[in-house]
Amino acid sequence: MLNHRSLKLFAFLFVVIISSVMCEFTQQLETAERIENDDATRVAQTVAAIDLTATAGAPPTETPVPPTPTATDAPPTPTATAVPPTSTPDLAILALLALTDPAGDSSICATGASVDDPAVDIQTIEVFDPATLGSDWAGWLARVGMGAPADETFENDFSGALLMAHAPLGATGYDFIINETHALTMTIGVIDPATGDVEPGSEGRSYIDDEGFVWFQLPPDVGYIQIAAFHLPSEDMPADQKRCDVAPNESAYTLELPER
């Protein structure tokens, strides 16, 4: 378990967890077991568009002039036309908390050297009351925005992962939820930090929506969160070029959520 007040311990545990799910990364981590869960499936969330249209007009009238009738057409009288809402609602306005992480702070995991990689760059974290989104989840929903849409990264690149660490206020350790695609194999769900195993039936605790946001289902008593991202674009890239980002860079986000 990881002490939420210790970045060093947290970073160390991240290495242990991720080394078990990212196979063949470094020679020093060859003995770690990568998480395997071939049956995990990504849950996609879509937002339906609402299309409202209305038209109205007044019919033309005729004024006959004998013996040859002629028509004097009055122009249609316009009436108000309903303005359709945007096709995708702006969920950000519903967020209880909106947290940010600096853009462009990604690095090479092995050396800490800066690297320009939007796919691993955590930028926004928003926390929602599930009821406002039509969900019956009993806890909270967290939406993570990356520098590049996560769905494109996870579908097209060799390996990518987001790891959500969370804990109640006053806790001395974290629980973890992972969303990873590695060599076309998805590993999604709650992981046991001691074993690296994914808990059966927990696959729905994370998913990627159609706009490329990564969502996590958090428990109702959550008080702290910290997020780590990992990316290896291609199988041919050396393992020591794996990219990382952590948000926040130190300590953890403290969540002051409303009472229910």
PDB file of all heavy atoms in Angstrom, residues 90-131:
ATOM      1  N   ASP A  90     -22.219  20.128 -22.815  1.00  0.00           N
ATOM      2  CA  ASP A  90     -20.954  20.451 -22.170  1.00  0.00           C
ATOM      3  C   ASP A  90     -21.009  19.943 -20.733  1.00  0.00           C
ATOM      4  O   ASP A  90     -21.524  20.605 -19.837  1.00  0.00           O
ATOM      5  CB  ASP A  90     -20.717  21.960 -22.214  1.00  0.00           C
ATOM      6  CG  ASP A  90     -19.371  22.339 -21.630  1.00  0.00           C
ATOM      7  OD1 ASP A  90     -18.603  21.413 -21.292  1.00  0.00           O
ATOM      8  OD2 ASP A  90     -19.087  23.541 -21.523  1.00  0.00           O
ATOM      9  N   LEU A  91     -20.466  18.755 -20.527  1.00  0.00           N
ATOM     10  CA  LEU A  91     -20.543  18.142 -19.208  1.00  0.00           C
ATOM     11  C   LEU A  91     -19.735  18.908 -18.171  1.00  0.00           C
ATOM     12  O   LEU A  91     -19.976  18.764 -16.971  1.00  0.00           O
ATOM     13  CB  LEU A  91     -20.060  16.691 -19.277  1.00  0.00           C
ATOM     14  CG  LEU A  91     -20.876  15.728 -20.143  1.00  0.00           C
ATOM     15  CD1 LEU A  91     -20.331  14.318 -19.998  1.00  0.00           C
ATOM     16  CD2 LEU A  91     -22.349  15.769 -19.774  1.00  0.00           C
ATOM     17  N   ALA A  92     -18.780  19.712 -18.622  1.00  0.00           N
ATOM     18  CA  ALA A  92     -17.921  20.417 -17.671  1.00  0.00           C
ATOM     19  C   ALA A  92     -18.725  21.305 -16.727  1.00  0.00           C
ATOM     20  O   ALA A  92     -18.329  21.504 -15.579  1.00  0.00           O
ATOM     21  CB  ALA A  92     -16.877  21.242 -18.417  1.00  0.00           C
ATOM     22  N   ILE A  93     -19.863  21.814 -17.200  1.00  0.00           N
ATOM     23  CA  ILE A  93     -20.650  22.705 -16.348  1.00  0.00           C
ATOM     24  C   ILE A  93     -21.325  21.938 -15.214  1.00  0.00           C
ATOM     25  O   ILE A  93     -21.795  22.543 -14.246  1.00  0.00           O
ATOM     26  CB  ILE A  93     -21.704  23.478 -17.165  1.00  0.00           C
ATOM     27  CG1 ILE A  93     -22.727  22.515 -17.776  1.00  0.00           C
ATOM     28  CG2 ILE A  93     -21.043  24.314 -18.245  1.00  0.00           C
ATOM     29  CD1 ILE A  93     -23.856  23.215 -18.512  1.00  0.00           C
ATOM     30  N   LEU A  94     -21.373  20.616 -15.314  1.00  0.00           N
ATOM     31  CA  LEU A  94     -21.986  19.793 -14.273  1.00  0.00           C
ATOM     32  C   LEU A  94     -20.963  19.285 -13.257  1.00  0.00           C
ATOM     33  O   LEU A  94     -21.341  18.679 -12.254  1.00  0.00           O
ATOM     34  CB  LEU A  94     -22.691  18.589 -14.907  1.00  0.00           C
ATOM     35  CG  LEU A  94     -23.811  18.902 -15.910  1.00  0.00           C
ATOM     36  CD1 LEU A  94     -24.346  17.604 -16.509  1.00  0.00           C
ATOM     37  CD2 LEU A  94     -24.919  19.699 -15.257  1.00  0.00           C
ATOM     38  N   ALA A  95     -19.697  19.536 -13.497  1.00  0.00           N
ATOM     39  CA  ALA A  95     -18.656  18.992 -12.632  1.00  0.00           C
ATOM     40  C   ALA A  95     -18.689  19.632 -11.250  1.00  0.00           C
ATOM     41  O   ALA A  95     -18.821  20.849 -11.107  1.00  0.00           O
ATOM     42  CB  ALA A  95     -17.286  19.192 -13.269  1.00  0.00           C
ATOM     43  N   LEU A  96     -18.570  18.796 -10.226  1.00  0.00           N
ATOM     44  CA  LEU A  96     -18.475  19.296  -8.859  1.00  0.00           C
ATOM     45  C   LEU A  96     -17.086  19.879  -8.592  1.00  0.00           C
ATOM     46  O   LEU A  96     -16.938  20.842  -7.849  1.00  0.00           O
ATOM     47  CB  LEU A  96     -18.738  18.161  -7.871  1.00  0.00           C
ATOM     48  CG  LEU A  96     -20.117  17.506  -7.942  1.00  0.00           C
ATOM     49  CD1 LEU A  96     -20.170  16.309  -7.001  1.00  0.00           C
ATOM     50  CD2 LEU A  96     -21.202  18.516  -7.590  1.00  0.00           C
ATOM     51  N   LEU A  97     -16.074  19.267  -9.185  1.00  0.00           N
ATOM     52  CA  LEU A  97     -14.698  19.721  -9.054  1.00  0.00           C
ATOM     53  C   LEU A  97     -14.049  19.686 -10.426  1.00  0.00           C
ATOM     54  O   LEU A  97     -14.274  18.751 -11.204  1.00  0.00           O
ATOM     55  CB  LEU A  97     -13.906  18.824  -8.104  1.00  0.00           C
ATOM     56  CG  LEU A  97     -14.323  18.783  -6.637  1.00  0.00           C
ATOM     57  CD1 LEU A  97     -13.512  17.721  -5.901  1.00  0.00           C
ATOM     58  CD2 LEU A  97     -14.124  20.138  -5.980  1.00  0.00           C
ATOM     59  N   ALA A  98     -13.237  20.691 -10.720  1.00  0.00           N
ATOM     60  CA  ALA A  98     -12.481  20.729 -11.978  1.00  0.00           C
ATOM     61  C   ALA A  98     -11.017  20.973 -11.620  1.00  0.00           C
ATOM     62  O   ALA A  98     -10.662  22.051 -11.139  1.00  0.00           O
ATOM     63  CB  ALA A  98     -13.009  21.817 -12.903  1.00  0.00           C
ATOM     64  N   LEU A  99     -10.192  19.962 -11.813  1.00  0.00           N
ATOM     65  CA  LEU A  99      -8.784  20.024 -11.477  1.00  0.00           C
ATOM     66  C   LEU A  99      -7.959  20.041 -12.758  1.00  0.00           C
ATOM     67  O   LEU A  99      -8.400  19.533 -13.795  1.00  0.00           O
ATOM     68  CB  LEU A  99      -8.382  18.817 -10.623  1.00  0.00           C
ATOM     69  CG  LEU A  99      -9.312  18.514  -9.441  1.00  0.00           C
ATOM     70  CD1 LEU A  99      -8.970  17.162  -8.819  1.00  0.00           C
ATOM     71  CD2 LEU A  99      -9.224  19.617  -8.400  1.00  0.00           C
ATOM     72  N   THR A 100      -6.773  20.627 -12.705  1.00  0.00           N
ATOM     73  CA  THR A 100      -5.935  20.694 -13.893  1.00  0.00           C
ATOM     74  C   THR A 100      -4.521  20.226 -13.574  1.00  0.00           C
ATOM     75  O   THR A 100      -4.070  20.267 -12.425  1.00  0.00           O
ATOM     76  CB  THR A 100      -5.863  22.127 -14.461  1.00  0.00           C
ATOM     77  OG1 THR A 100      -5.331  23.012 -13.467  1.00  0.00           O
ATOM     78  CG2 THR A 100      -7.248  22.603 -14.882  1.00  0.00           C
ATOM     79  N   ASP A 101      -3.847  19.775 -14.621  1.00  0.00           N
ATOM     80  CA  ASP A 101      -2.436  19.417 -14.544  1.00  0.00           C
ATOM     81  C   ASP A 101      -1.736  20.144 -15.685  1.00  0.00           C
ATOM     82  O   ASP A 101      -2.302  20.257 -16.783  1.00  0.00           O
ATOM     83  CB  ASP A 101      -2.259  17.903 -14.696  1.00  0.00           C
ATOM     84  CG  ASP A 101      -0.822  17.462 -14.465  1.00  0.00           C
ATOM     85  OD1 ASP A 101      -0.338  17.633 -13.339  1.00  0.00           O
ATOM     86  OD2 ASP A 101      -0.187  16.964 -15.414  1.00  0.00           O
ATOM     87  N   PRO A 102      -0.538  20.674 -15.472  1.00  0.00           N
ATOM     88  CA  PRO A 102       0.115  21.459 -16.520  1.00  0.00           C
ATOM     89  C   PRO A 102       0.278  20.679 -17.824  1.00  0.00           C
ATOM     90  O   PRO A 102       0.654  19.504 -17.810  1.00  0.00           O
ATOM     91  CB  PRO A 102       1.481  21.802 -15.906  1.00  0.00           C
ATOM     92  CG  PRO A 102       1.273  21.701 -14.436  1.00  0.00           C
ATOM     93  CD  PRO A 102       0.266  20.618 -14.234  1.00  0.00           C
ATOM     94  N   ALA A 103      -0.002  21.329 -18.933  1.00  0.00           N
ATOM     95  CA  ALA A 103       0.206  20.709 -20.244  1.00  0.00           C
ATOM     96  C   ALA A 103       1.697  20.682 -20.555  1.00  0.00           C
ATOM     97  O   ALA A 103       2.457  21.566 -20.154  1.00  0.00           O
ATOM     98  CB  ALA A 103      -0.546  21.491 -21.320  1.00  0.00           C
ATOM     99  N   GLY A 104       2.108  19.634 -21.256  1.00  0.00           N
ATOM    100  CA  GLY A 104       3.490  19.547 -21.693  1.00  0.00           C
ATOM    101  C   GLY A 104       4.474  19.115 -20.634  1.00  0.00           C
ATOM    102  O   GLY A 104       5.680  19.349 -20.789  1.00  0.00           O
ATOM    103  N   ASP A 105       4.003  18.454 -19.555  1.00  0.00           N
ATOM    104  CA  ASP A 105       4.926  18.037 -18.498  1.00  0.00           C
ATOM    105  C   ASP A 105       5.222  16.545 -18.524  1.00  0.00           C
ATOM    106  O   ASP A 105       5.648  15.963 -17.528  1.00  0.00           O
ATOM    107  CB  ASP A 105       4.386  18.444 -17.127  1.00  0.00           C
ATOM    108  CG  ASP A 105       3.081  17.738 -16.775  1.00  0.00           C
ATOM    109  OD1 ASP A 105       2.422  17.200 -17.687  1.00  0.00           O
ATOM    110  OD2 ASP A 105       2.704  17.736 -15.585  1.00  0.00           O
ATOM    111  N   SER A 106       5.004  15.905 -19.675  1.00  0.00           N
ATOM    112  CA  SER A 106       5.307  14.481 -19.801  1.00  0.00           C
ATOM    113  C   SER A 106       6.816  14.264 -19.797  1.00  0.00           C
ATOM    114  O   SER A 106       7.595  15.158 -20.133  1.00  0.00           O
ATOM    115  CB  SER A 106       4.710  13.930 -21.095  1.00  0.00           C
ATOM    116  OG  SER A 106       3.333  14.240 -21.184  1.00  0.00           O
ATOM    117  N   SER A 107       7.234  13.047 -19.444  1.00  0.00           N
ATOM    118  CA  SER A 107       8.667  12.763 -19.366  1.00  0.00           C
ATOM    119  C   SER A 107       8.949  11.312 -19.728  1.00  0.00           C
ATOM    120  O   SER A 107       8.042  10.476 -19.787  1.00  0.00           O
ATOM    121  CB  SER A 107       9.184  13.056 -17.951  1.00  0.00           C
ATOM    122  OG  SER A 107       8.548  12.206 -17.009  1.00  0.00           O
ATOM    123  N   ILE A 108      10.223  11.023 -19.993  1.00  0.00           N
ATOM    124  CA  ILE A 108      10.669   9.648 -20.154  1.00  0.00           C
ATOM    125  C   ILE A 108      10.728   9.011 -18.767  1.00  0.00           C
ATOM    126  O   ILE A 108      11.358   9.535 -17.853  1.00  0.00           O
ATOM    127  CB  ILE A 108      12.061   9.589 -20.822  1.00  0.00           C
ATOM    128  CG1 ILE A 108      12.033  10.278 -22.189  1.00  0.00           C
ATOM    129  CG2 ILE A 108      12.530   8.148 -20.947  1.00  0.00           C
ATOM    130  CD1 ILE A 108      11.132   9.629 -23.201  1.00  0.00           C
ATOM    131  N   CYS A 109      10.051   7.869 -18.605  1.00  0.00           N
ATOM    132  CA  CYS A 109       9.955   7.259 -17.272  1.00  0.00           C
ATOM    133  C   CYS A 109      11.331   6.978 -16.681  1.00  0.00           C
ATOM    134  O   CYS A 109      11.568   7.217 -15.492  1.00  0.00           O
ATOM    135  CB  CYS A 109       9.166   5.956 -17.351  1.00  0.00           C
ATOM    136  SG  CYS A 109       7.498   6.103 -18.007  1.00  0.00           S
ATOM    137  N   ALA A 110      12.249   6.453 -17.505  1.00  0.00           N
ATOM    138  CA  ALA A 110      13.530   5.986 -16.993  1.00  0.00           C
ATOM    139  C   ALA A 110      14.456   7.109 -16.565  1.00  0.00           C
ATOM    140  O   ALA A 110      15.259   6.940 -15.637  1.00  0.00           O
ATOM    141  CB  ALA A 110      14.222   5.120 -18.047  1.00  0.00           C
ATOM    142  N   THR A 111      14.346   8.278 -17.227  1.00  0.00           N
ATOM    143  CA  THR A 111      15.318   9.346 -16.973  1.00  0.00           C
ATOM    144  C   THR A 111      14.707  10.624 -16.415  1.00  0.00           C
ATOM    145  O   THR A 111      15.420  11.455 -15.855  1.00  0.00           O
ATOM    146  CB  THR A 111      16.052   9.699 -18.274  1.00  0.00           C
ATOM    147  OG1 THR A 111      15.115  10.254 -19.212  1.00  0.00           O
ATOM    148  CG2 THR A 111      16.714   8.460 -18.872  1.00  0.00           C
ATOM    149  N   GLY A 112      13.401  10.811 -16.587  1.00  0.00           N
ATOM    150  CA  GLY A 112      12.765  12.055 -16.179  1.00  0.00           C
ATOM    151  C   GLY A 112      12.931  13.177 -17.178  1.00  0.00           C
ATOM    152  O   GLY A 112      12.469  14.298 -16.937  1.00  0.00           O
ATOM    153  N   ALA A 113      13.558  12.906 -18.315  1.00  0.00           N
ATOM    154  CA  ALA A 113      13.744  13.922 -19.346  1.00  0.00           C
ATOM    155  C   ALA A 113      12.412  14.278 -19.983  1.00  0.00           C
ATOM    156  O   ALA A 113      11.556  13.411 -20.206  1.00  0.00           O
ATOM    157  CB  ALA A 113      14.716  13.421 -20.415  1.00  0.00           C
ATOM    158  N   SER A 114      12.207  15.550 -20.267  1.00  0.00           N
ATOM    159  CA  SER A 114      10.948  16.002 -20.864  1.00  0.00           C
ATOM    160  C   SER A 114      10.764  15.385 -22.244  1.00  0.00           C
ATOM    161  O   SER A 114      11.725  15.166 -22.981  1.00  0.00           O
ATOM    162  CB  SER A 114      10.935  17.523 -20.973  1.00  0.00           C
ATOM    163  OG  SER A 114      10.976  18.118 -19.688  1.00  0.00           O
ATOM    164  N   VAL A 115       9.507  15.122 -22.590  1.00  0.00           N
ATOM    165  CA  VAL A 115       9.192  14.570 -23.897  1.00  0.00           C
ATOM    166  C   VAL A 115       7.866  15.160 -24.356  1.00  0.00           C
ATOM    167  O   VAL A 115       6.956  15.365 -23.549  1.00  0.00           O
ATOM    168  CB  VAL A 115       9.117  13.019 -23.848  1.00  0.00           C
ATOM    169  CG1 VAL A 115       7.999  12.548 -22.920  1.00  0.00           C
ATOM    170  CG2 VAL A 115       8.925  12.439 -25.235  1.00  0.00           C
ATOM    171  N   ASP A 116       7.776  15.458 -25.630  1.00  0.00           N
ATOM    172  CA  ASP A 116       6.535  15.994 -26.200  1.00  0.00           C
ATOM    173  C   ASP A 116       5.659  14.832 -26.641  1.00  0.00           C
ATOM    174  O   ASP A 116       5.863  14.258 -27.708  1.00  0.00           O
ATOM    175  CB  ASP A 116       6.866  16.908 -27.392  1.00  0.00           C
ATOM    176  CG  ASP A 116       5.602  17.524 -27.999  1.00  0.00           C
ATOM    177  OD1 ASP A 116       4.544  17.462 -27.357  1.00  0.00           O
ATOM    178  OD2 ASP A 116       5.687  18.054 -29.132  1.00  0.00           O
ATOM    179  N   ASP A 117       4.702  14.461 -25.802  1.00  0.00           N
ATOM    180  CA  ASP A 117       3.829  13.322 -26.089  1.00  0.00           C
ATOM    181  C   ASP A 117       2.435  13.605 -25.536  1.00  0.00           C
ATOM    182  O   ASP A 117       2.134  13.266 -24.386  1.00  0.00           O
ATOM    183  CB  ASP A 117       4.401  12.043 -25.481  1.00  0.00           C
ATOM    184  CG  ASP A 117       3.617  10.806 -25.894  1.00  0.00           C
ATOM    185  OD1 ASP A 117       2.588  10.954 -26.582  1.00  0.00           O
ATOM    186  OD2 ASP A 117       4.026   9.686 -25.525  1.00  0.00           O
ATOM    187  N   PRO A 118       1.558  14.245 -26.316  1.00  0.00           N
ATOM    188  CA  PRO A 118       0.204  14.555 -25.832  1.00  0.00           C
ATOM    189  C   PRO A 118      -0.581  13.326 -25.386  1.00  0.00           C
ATOM    190  O   PRO A 118      -1.456  13.438 -24.528  1.00  0.00           O
ATOM    191  CB  PRO A 118      -0.456  15.231 -27.041  1.00  0.00           C
ATOM    192  CG  PRO A 118       0.682  15.742 -27.871  1.00  0.00           C
ATOM    193  CD  PRO A 118       1.785  14.747 -27.683  1.00  0.00           C
ATOM    194  N   ALA A 119      -0.271  12.156 -25.953  1.00  0.00           N
ATOM    195  CA  ALA A 119      -1.044  10.952 -25.634  1.00  0.00           C
ATOM    196  C   ALA A 119      -0.904  10.545 -24.178  1.00  0.00           C
ATOM    197  O   ALA A 119      -1.797   9.893 -23.628  1.00  0.00           O
ATOM    198  CB  ALA A 119      -0.605   9.797 -26.542  1.00  0.00           C
ATOM    199  N   VAL A 120       0.182  10.932 -23.518  1.00  0.00           N
ATOM    200  CA  VAL A 120       0.390  10.558 -22.120  1.00  0.00           C
ATOM    201  C   VAL A 120       0.214  11.755 -21.188  1.00  0.00           C
ATOM    202  O   VAL A 120       0.304  11.619 -19.968  1.00  0.00           O
ATOM    203  CB  VAL A 120       1.791   9.934 -21.932  1.00  0.00           C
ATOM    204  CG1 VAL A 120       2.881  11.011 -21.943  1.00  0.00           C
ATOM    205  CG2 VAL A 120       1.875   9.076 -20.674  1.00  0.00           C
ATOM    206  N   ASP A 121      -0.082  12.909 -21.757  1.00  0.00           N
ATOM    207  CA  ASP A 121      -0.115  14.163 -21.006  1.00  0.00           C
ATOM    208  C   ASP A 121      -1.478  14.362 -20.346  1.00  0.00           C
ATOM    209  O   ASP A 121      -2.464  14.723 -20.998  1.00  0.00           O
ATOM    210  CB  ASP A 121       0.189  15.323 -21.950  1.00  0.00           C
ATOM    211  CG  ASP A 121       0.454  16.622 -21.214  1.00  0.00           C
ATOM    212  OD1 ASP A 121       0.487  16.605 -19.973  1.00  0.00           O
ATOM    213  OD2 ASP A 121       0.625  17.662 -21.885  1.00  0.00           O
ATOM    214  N   ILE A 122      -1.570  14.121 -19.029  1.00  0.00           N
ATOM    215  CA  ILE A 122      -2.797  14.358 -18.271  1.00  0.00           C
ATOM    216  C   ILE A 122      -3.011  15.867 -18.176  1.00  0.00           C
ATOM    217  O   ILE A 122      -2.095  16.605 -17.826  1.00  0.00           O
ATOM    218  CB  ILE A 122      -2.697  13.756 -16.865  1.00  0.00           C
ATOM    219  CG1 ILE A 122      -2.423  12.257 -16.941  1.00  0.00           C
ATOM    220  CG2 ILE A 122      -3.967  14.031 -16.066  1.00  0.00           C
ATOM    221  CD1 ILE A 122      -2.006  11.648 -15.612  1.00  0.00           C
ATOM    222  N   GLN A 123      -4.236  16.330 -18.488  1.00  0.00           N
ATOM    223  CA  GLN A 123      -4.483  17.771 -18.483  1.00  0.00           C
ATOM    224  C   GLN A 123      -5.647  18.182 -17.594  1.00  0.00           C
ATOM    225  O   GLN A 123      -5.587  19.217 -16.936  1.00  0.00           O
ATOM    226  CB  GLN A 123      -4.695  18.267 -19.916  1.00  0.00           C
ATOM    227  CG  GLN A 123      -3.450  18.116 -20.773  1.00  0.00           C
ATOM    228  CD  GLN A 123      -3.545  18.815 -22.105  1.00  0.00           C
ATOM    229  OE1 GLN A 123      -4.564  19.409 -22.447  1.00  0.00           O
ATOM    230  NE2 GLN A 123      -2.474  18.744 -22.875  1.00  0.00           N
ATOM    231  N   THR A 124      -6.723  17.410 -17.558  1.00  0.00           N
ATOM    232  CA  THR A 124      -7.882  17.790 -16.751  1.00  0.00           C
ATOM    233  C   THR A 124      -8.435  16.585 -15.996  1.00  0.00           C
ATOM    234  O   THR A 124      -8.381  15.454 -16.490  1.00  0.00           O
ATOM    235  CB  THR A 124      -9.013  18.377 -17.616  1.00  0.00           C
ATOM    236  OG1 THR A 124      -9.446  17.390 -18.562  1.00  0.00           O
ATOM    237  CG2 THR A 124      -8.551  19.622 -18.358  1.00  0.00           C
ATOM    238  N   ILE A 125      -8.933  16.843 -14.807  1.00  0.00           N
ATOM    239  CA  ILE A 125      -9.643  15.838 -14.017  1.00  0.00           C
ATOM    240  C   ILE A 125     -10.901  16.504 -13.467  1.00  0.00           C
ATOM    241  O   ILE A 125     -10.818  17.542 -12.809  1.00  0.00           O
ATOM    242  CB  ILE A 125      -8.792  15.306 -12.846  1.00  0.00           C
ATOM    243  CG1 ILE A 125      -7.466  14.730 -13.354  1.00  0.00           C
ATOM    244  CG2 ILE A 125      -9.567  14.240 -12.074  1.00  0.00           C
ATOM    245  CD1 ILE A 125      -6.321  15.691 -13.238  1.00  0.00           C
ATOM    246  N   GLU A 126     -12.050  15.930 -13.775  1.00  0.00           N
ATOM    247  CA  GLU A 126     -13.329  16.465 -13.300  1.00  0.00           C
ATOM    248  C   GLU A 126     -14.064  15.380 -12.529  1.00  0.00           C
ATOM    249  O   GLU A 126     -13.998  14.205 -12.884  1.00  0.00           O
ATOM    250  CB  GLU A 126     -14.184  16.916 -14.484  1.00  0.00           C
ATOM    251  CG  GLU A 126     -13.545  18.048 -15.281  1.00  0.00           C
ATOM    252  CD  GLU A 126     -14.096  18.119 -16.698  1.00  0.00           C
ATOM    253  OE1 GLU A 126     -14.091  17.076 -17.383  1.00  0.00           O
ATOM    254  OE2 GLU A 126     -14.515  19.208 -17.104  1.00  0.00           O
ATOM    255  N   VAL A 127     -14.746  15.790 -11.468  1.00  0.00           N
ATOM    256  CA  VAL A 127     -15.493  14.844 -10.639  1.00  0.00           C
ATOM    257  C   VAL A 127     -16.974  15.211 -10.696  1.00  0.00           C
ATOM    258  O   VAL A 127     -17.339  16.384 -10.547  1.00  0.00           O
ATOM    259  CB  VAL A 127     -14.991  14.858  -9.185  1.00  0.00           C
ATOM    260  CG1 VAL A 127     -15.786  13.859  -8.345  1.00  0.00           C
ATOM    261  CG2 VAL A 127     -13.495  14.533  -9.134  1.00  0.00           C
ATOM    262  N   PHE A 128     -17.820  14.202 -10.934  1.00  0.00           N
ATOM    263  CA  PHE A 128     -19.251  14.408 -11.129  1.00  0.00           C
ATOM    264  C   PHE A 128     -20.064  13.600 -10.128  1.00  0.00           C
ATOM    265  O   PHE A 128     -19.635  12.532  -9.666  1.00  0.00           O
ATOM    266  CB  PHE A 128     -19.671  13.958 -12.535  1.00  0.00           C
ATOM    267  CG  PHE A 128     -19.017  14.698 -13.660  1.00  0.00           C
ATOM    268  CD1 PHE A 128     -17.790  14.285 -14.160  1.00  0.00           C
ATOM    269  CD2 PHE A 128     -19.622  15.801 -14.238  1.00  0.00           C
ATOM    270  CE1 PHE A 128     -17.180  14.950 -15.213  1.00  0.00           C
ATOM    271  CE2 PHE A 128     -19.024  16.479 -15.292  1.00  0.00           C
ATOM    272  CZ  PHE A 128     -17.800  16.060 -15.777  1.00  0.00           C
ATOM    273  N   ASP A 129     -21.255  14.123  -9.826  1.00  0.00           N
ATOM    274  CA  ASP A 129     -22.278  13.337  -9.154  1.00  0.00           C
ATOM    275  C   ASP A 129     -22.933  12.473 -10.226  1.00  0.00           C
ATOM    276  O   ASP A 129     -23.495  12.993 -11.195  1.00  0.00           O
ATOM    277  CB  ASP A 129     -23.319  14.261  -8.517  1.00  0.00           C
ATOM    278  CG  ASP A 129     -24.375  13.497  -7.745  1.00  0.00           C
ATOM    279  OD1 ASP A 129     -24.546  12.279  -7.975  1.00  0.00           O
ATOM    280  OD2 ASP A 129     -25.059  14.120  -6.914  1.00  0.00           O
ATOM    281  N   PRO A 130     -22.865  11.151 -10.129  1.00  0.00           N
ATOM    282  CA  PRO A 130     -23.412  10.288 -11.181  1.00  0.00           C
ATOM    283  C   PRO A 130     -24.877  10.569 -11.504  1.00  0.00           C
ATOM    284  O   PRO A 130     -25.303  10.408 -12.659  1.00  0.00           O
ATOM    285  CB  PRO A 130     -23.229   8.877 -10.624  1.00  0.00           C
ATOM    286  CG  PRO A 130     -22.114   9.012  -9.648  1.00  0.00           C
ATOM    287  CD  PRO A 130     -22.262  10.370  -9.047  1.00  0.00           C
ATOM    288  N   ALA A 131     -25.661  10.982 -10.512  1.00  0.00           N
ATOM    289  CA  ALA A 131     -27.088  11.208 -10.740  1.00  0.00           C
ATOM    290  C   ALA A 131     -27.320  12.286 -11.794  1.00  0.00           C
ATOM    291  O   ALA A 131     -28.286  12.214 -12.557  1.00  0.00           O
ATOM    292  CB  ALA A 131     -27.775  11.582  -9.434  1.00  0.00           C
TER     293      ALA A 131
END
